[in-house]
């Protein structure tokens, strides 16, 4: 994966189809234990939002590659006391080999990339969650043999996860149906347009208000929280609006009989997904969570290159 050496991953769209395909193949290879690739590099994790999976999977992936990790929790750095990104980024770039940033604004992530002088990975912003989608595509590939030609239906908020799914699935030749309540919960029109461009005439990208139509004959049902980090104040008012988009047994019964259910986690049982579906035979949530580590290990190894 020499093509990714020294590069940033700020958006799924930073990869081309070949790079994404190769990255997924490399992740599968690492997962099967075929490659013993090691590095002695140092990864910084600068997360201004909570995280379990991303934090731990990046840390374990880096340790397994022979590298080290520094947790740059803003509350124990000068970030919480207002040191500007332009300064923090330039200083971190002098110490670290690579930086993963979880924050609110995409523009702040872009500033870390611009000023640090080292590769920066998007570990989630309000706009995108590319690392999540690498794991999702790896899981879909494992379940169905390949992604191309399959249909993924996303139910809920047109958020960061929906955006990265739109881009990543479209690149892999998957049909994507996004079922959301009306404005302001629809995905960003620019991302939808980009996904349509990636899909070309190979796949269909649809945004709909009709959750049943989106579930009909689909291969993958995917959902995420109705109120993302930073939107906690809106959580109560969103519940009645989002209720028709809950992934439950009724919705699942409309899908292909071998359809799978995915959720990036953390989940709110009884809101965006029922406990019955989460724990049911078609759920692949735990494989999906495990795949975060394999996909990110491939990403880190590709960006860092060999020692
Ligand atoms: N899916 C995901 O990114 O989980 P965390 O917020 O726990 O990292
Ligand atoms: N959309 C969610 C994803 C959490 C992994 C959020 O941004 O909070």
């Amino acid at each position: 994966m020499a093509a990714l050496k020294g590069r940033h991953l700020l958006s799924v769209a930073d990869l081309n189809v070949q790079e994404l395909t190769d990255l997924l193949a490399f992740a599968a290879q690492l997962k099967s234990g075929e490659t013993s690739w090691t590095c002695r590099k140092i990864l910084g994790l600068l997360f201004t939002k909570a995280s379990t999976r991303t934090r731990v999977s990046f840390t374990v992936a880096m340790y397994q590659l022979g590298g080290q990790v520094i947790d740059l929790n803003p509350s124990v750095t000068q970030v919480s006391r207002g040191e500007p990104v332009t300064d923090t980024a330039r200083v971190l770039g002098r110490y670290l080999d690579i930086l993963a940033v979880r924050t609110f604004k995409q523009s702040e992530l872009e500033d870390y990339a611009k000023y640090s002088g080292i590769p920066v990975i998007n570990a989630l912003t309000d706009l995108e969650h590319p690392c999540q989608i690498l794991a999702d595509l790896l899981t879909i590939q494992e379940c169905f043999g390949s992604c191309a030609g399959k249909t993924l239906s996303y139910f809920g908020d047109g958020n960061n996860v929906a955006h990265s799914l739109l881009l990543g699935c479209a690149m892999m030749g998957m049909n994507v149906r996004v079922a959301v309540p009306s404005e302001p919960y629809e995905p960003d029109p620019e991302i939808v347009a980009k996904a349509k461009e990636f899909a070309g005439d190979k796949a269909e990208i649809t945004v709909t208000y009709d959750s049943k139509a989106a579930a009909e004959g689909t291969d993958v049902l995917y959902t995420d929280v109705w109120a993302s980090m930073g939107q906690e104040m809106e959580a109560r008012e969103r519940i009645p609006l989002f209720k028709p988009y809950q992934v439950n047994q009724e919705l699942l019964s409309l899908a292909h009989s071998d359809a799978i259910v995915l959720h990036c986690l953390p989940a709110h049982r009884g809101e965006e997904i029922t406990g019955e579906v989460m724990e049911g035979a078609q759920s692949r949530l735990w494989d999906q969570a495990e795949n975060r580590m394999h996909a990110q290990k491939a990403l880190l190894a590709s960006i860092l290159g060999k020692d």
Side-chain angles (χ1 to χ4, degrees):
M1 281 300 297
L4 293 188
K5 191 165 181 181
R7 299 231 317 250
H8 302 299
L9 182 74
L10 309 183
S11 161
V12 174
D14 289 344
L15 301 169
N16 64 34
V17 174
Q18 193 57 53
E19 288 163 352
L20 179 54
T21 307
D22 291 349
L23 198 51
L24 296 175
F26 187 28
Q29 197 187 347
L30 288 173
K31 185 172 182 178
S32 71
E34 271 178 46
T35 308
S36 57
W37 192 96
T38 56
C39 75
R40 288 163 182 260
K41 303 283 169 74
I42 300 181
L43 164 72
L45 296 179
L46 201 162
F47 284 20
T48 67
K49 292 175 174 175
S51 169
T52 299
R53 279 143 288 269
T54 311
R55 184 190 303 281
V56 179
S57 57
F58 261 121
T59 304
V60 173
M62 199 62 185
Y63 287 169
Q64 289 186 357
L65 287 172
Q68 302 208 29
V69 179
I70 302 181
D71 189 354
L72 299 162
N73 183 336
S75 68
V76 295
T77 65
Q78 300 288 8
V79 170
S80 59
R81 295 180 63 250
E83 184 168 15
V85 170
T86 49
D87 300 356
T88 305
R90 279 179 289 185
V91 171
L92 292 178
R94 301 291 176 111
Y95 306 140
L96 302 169
D97 298 298
I98 186 164
L99 179 66
V101 177
R102 169 169 286 202
T103 193
F104 293 86
K105 290 187 184 155
Q106 186 77 8
S107 60
E108 187 180 315
L109 173 80
E110 287 164 359
D111 281 345
Y112 276 108
K114 183 172 169 191
Y115 291 101
S116 66
I118 56 173
V120 171
I121 297 174
N122 181 349
L124 181 147
T125 60
D126 290 347
L127 189 69
E128 273 207 57
H129 195 3
C131 294
Q132 177 66 51
I133 273 53
L134 296 179
D136 301 341
L137 293 171
L138 181 61
T139 312
I140 293 166
Q141 212 164 269
E142 285 173 350
C143 291
F144 297 110
S146 82
C147 295
K150 295 290 172 192
T151 300
L152 178 141
S153 302
Y154 173 92
F155 303 89
D157 188 23
N159 62 14
N160 43 9
V161 170
H163 290 158
S164 292
L165 278 171
L166 275 161
L167 297 170
C169 293
M171 283 171 75
M172 295 304 287
M174 293 182 72
N175 305 305
V176 187
R177 304 173 187 163
V178 177
V180 286
S182 61
E183 240 210 323
Y185 305 111
E186 292 162 0
D188 183 330
E190 279 183 30
I191 299 236
V192 175
K194 209 182 269 188
K196 286 185 176 168
E197 196 185 302
F198 289 156
D201 56 9
K202 291 201 205 76
E204 213 174 320
I205 308 296
T206 322
V207 178
T208 175
Y209 304 134
D210 186 343
S211 55
K212 290 198 168 67
E216 201 71 52
T218 197
D219 300 298
V220 183
L221 295 95
Y222 197 119
T223 190
D224 182 17
V225 289
W226 290 341
S228 287
M229 289 179 277
Q231 299 171 333
E232 289 80 3
M233 299 288 281
E234 296 173 36
R236 280 176 74 87
E237 73 194 54
R238 285 182 177 220
I239 291 174
L241 292 172
F242 281 78
K243 200 77 187 163
Y245 302 90
Q246 182 187 65
V247 174
N248 52 33
Q249 209 53 51
E250 193 192 339
L251 208 65
L252 183 54
S253 69
L254 300 172
H256 266 163
S257 54
D258 67 348
I260 61 166
V261 177
L262 300 180
H263 187 313
C264 57
L265 301 172
H268 293 75
R269 286 173 170 78
E271 290 190 16
E272 75 275 5
I273 190 166
T274 59
E276 187 186 13
V277 169
M278 255 186 98
E279 305 297 345
Q282 287 164 277
S283 163
R284 295 291 176 275
L285 269 57
W286 317 114
D287 292 334
Q288 180 189 10
E290 178 188 332
N291 282 338
R292 294 293 306 275
M293 186 179 67
H294 304 296
Q296 285 155 210
K297 200 192 290 181
L299 180 66
L300 289 166
S302 302
I303 293 176
L304 290 168
K306 289 194 189 296
D307 277 334

